[in-house]
Amino acid sequence: MNSTLIETELGNFRVQYTIKGLARLQFPKTKIDHASNTIKPVKQWINQTKKALNAILNGKNPKNYPPLDLSSGTDFQREVWALLQSIPTGGVEAYGDLAYRLNKPKAARAVGGACKANPIPILIPCHRVVGANGSLTGFSAGLKWKIRLLRAEGVELPLH
């Protein structure tokens, strides 16, 4: 397994790359989840990842992202992940609203499943997705991280 640690003020994030780009980003102190076909990363990609990650952790919009390899997801998951990237920094959107935007109004739970399967959290901002009433629902790294990320972006909590 080829993985790299990216140091931030909030801990060391583990990243893994394939020939297509960043394939996995994991929170500090989480069990290692291996991406397949990983490579030793290009230094430029590590630098882009570090800058983008630190920008978001500090509530800013990254200027540049590394290439992202989202091939591990299904077509539906990739659709959801693309929508997540359209939620602006400091904004939130409900699972059901994302389902409507996908023209699948009954797919709110499936949207939640896609968020949970997101291999590149933070850069693909699943932390900006909330329950229908503004409730802070699940997050792959736990609600403490979700709250920390939303607060860094200036989101006033609680939402309801």
Side-chain angles (χ1 to χ4, degrees):
M1 172 193 70
N2 290 302
S3 69
T4 302
L5 291 177
I6 294 183
E7 290 183 38
T8 73
E9 317 173 337
L10 300 177
N12 295 328
F13 288 79
R14 181 174 303 280
V15 292
Q16 296 171 49
Y17 299 84
T18 66
I19 59 170
K20 294 179 182 178
L22 178 62
R24 182 153 337 269
L25 184 147
Q26 291 182 267
F27 285 84
K29 300 179 183 176
T30 57
K31 180 182 170 198
I32 298 172
D33 185 16
H34 302 287
S36 59
N37 303 317
T38 58
I39 62 165
K40 185 175 179 184
V42 177
K43 190 171 184 174
Q44 177 184 357
W45 290 357
I46 295 171
N47 290 336
Q48 289 172 324
T49 304
K50 185 173 185 172
K51 287 178 183 177
L53 181 59
N54 278 307
I56 294 171
L57 291 174
N58 288 297
K60 299 183 171 109
N61 285 318
K63 292 184 172 122
N64 211 337
Y65 284 90
L68 303 179
D69 179 356
L70 300 174
S71 62
S72 66
T74 65
D75 290 343
F76 178 78
Q77 288 170 334
R78 288 192 301 270
E79 282 183 72
V80 172
W81 299 338
L83 273 183
L84 295 177
Q85 293 176 76
S86 73
I87 303 171
T89 300
V92 295
E93 193 158 346
Y95 295 98
D97 293 339
L98 290 170
Y100 272 98
R101 287 177 56 194
L102 290 168
N103 292 317
K104 298 177 182 174
K106 295 184 181 190
R109 285 182 188 257
V111 168
C115 289
K116 183 177 181 180
N118 176 4
I120 310 173
I122 302 177
L123 299 189
I124 298 176
C126 52
H127 62 277
R128 297 178 186 152
V129 184
V130 298
N133 63 355
S135 60
L136 297 182
T137 56
F139 185 59
S140 61
L143 287 180
K144 286 182 181 181
W145 271 106
K146 185 170 193 158
I147 291 166
R148 179 181 280 171
L149 293 166
L150 290 173
R151 283 188 175 146
E153 293 184 7
V155 175
E156 294 289 326
L157 300 174
L159 295 170
H160 47 119

